[in-house]
Amino acid sequence: MVKLFSGSANPELSEEVAGILGIPLAKSEVVRFGNSEVKVSIKEKVKDATCVVIQPTSNPTDTNLMELFFFADALKRSGAKEIIAVIPYFGYARQNREHLPGESVSVNVVIRFIEAAGYDAVYTLTLHDEGTEGIFSVTFKNINAFKILGKEVYNYLTKEGEGRPKPDSAVIVSPDQGGVERAQVFAEHFFHTGNIDIAVIEKRRNLEKIHQSKALNLYGDVKDKVCIIVDDIITSGGTLIHAAELCLKKGAKRVIACIVHHDFSPTAPQVLSSEKNPIEKIFTANTIALKPEQRFPSLVEVSIAPLIAAELQKELSI
Ligand code: R5P
């Protein structure tokens, strides 16, 4: 028996996954107290069941994480046989090494907490650094969101009169050195073939100041091409905007972006929707719930619920 639970961070996505699987969401209650503490209660029988909890650990990250931990505890106490965390957006994934001496490597701590809370498996989408996978001692699955996003961008460009995008008319751009492998994965889903040359931007982050980076140089040929900037996360929008400006400066014809998680800082929607912003469309996934005021005309949100549902179907024989 499989029971699907939704945390409070992205109930629309959970509903969609439940709809695809054809199973109703199981009953639970999340209470927030005036002092900001949270309490989770399981409101139906789960004895000997495999229980799945869907909860992105996006902003408010710590609050959503605590809720995720408490779901595991409440399910264990209620006799669940196996507990799986589906974390569509994995908060703290970027704190994966000591960027400056003395810093915490926070993602390690978060993974230890998730395991200690009682989860037997963790599924996520397009984790910031694949190397983080090695830290998990429970089953871990990193679902590739570009399977859906790549198709969506391809369809958009085909419809927009470019014809079928080919490597001599379109180029995949990584906005930093760390994103090259990710851009190659996207390229495979976009062009349906491997061995594609991609362009890479040399980015320098100011490690002393948050959300500040510069695009220093671009390696690769973007002249007269449609540039598709591929990244895992947008927060301030700085990385993306600087990359787009540099592509245009080097002669790009159009700039489109495909970025999985819209983990927006408060000012990002305004910055990205400004008339000065040179990006034609920004394709993202619905791993994080968007507030109405965070939406803007060039932002396209694509549902990755079918990918989560397919993974659960395959693993749990639903
Ligand atoms: C960095 O390594 C990530 O892949 C993103 O490029 C970065 O986190 C985006 O942040 P922002 O939008 O604040 O530049």
Side-chain angles (χ1 to χ4, degrees), residues 55-58 61 65 68 85-94 106-108 110-111 114 122-128 132 136 140 233 261 287-288:
Q55 170 85 333
T57 51
S58 49
T61 312
L65 263 175
L68 180 72
V86 174
I87 309 176
Y89 171 73
F90 203 101
Y92 285 109
R94 282 174 288 186
S106 311
V107 75
N108 291 11
V110 168
I111 291 170
I114 291 172
V122 174
Y123 300 0
T124 192
L125 282 109
T126 309
L127 189 65
H128 175 66
T132 302
F136 286 90
F140 174 76
I233 308 169
H261 310 284
T287 52
I288 298 171

Side-chain angles (χ1 to χ4, degrees), residues 94 128 175-176 182 203 205 211 213 231-240:
R94 282 174 288 186
H128 175 66
D176 55 32
R182 189 181 305 121
K203 172 171 110 176
R205 200 168 263 297
H211 302 316
S213 65
D231 207 352
D232 57 336
I233 308 169
I234 315 179
T235 298
S236 67
T239 300
L240 175 56

Side-chain angles (χ1 to χ4, degrees), residues 34 168 186 247 268 281:
D168 54 357
F186 176 89
C247 288
K281 283 271 176 232

Side-chain angles (χ1 to χ4, degrees), residues 69-108:
F69 301 150
F70 298 157
F71 257 101
D73 187 68
L75 286 167
K76 260 171 60 173
R77 289 172 188 281
S78 308
K81 182 179 75 180
E82 183 191 20
I83 315 172
I84 299 172
V86 174
I87 309 176
Y89 171 73
F90 203 101
Y92 285 109
R94 282 174 288 186
Q95 293 189 39
N96 58 339
R97 61 192 173 94
E98 253 183 274
H99 297 276
L100 286 174
E103 288 178 355
S104 60
V105 182
S106 311
V107 75
N108 291 11

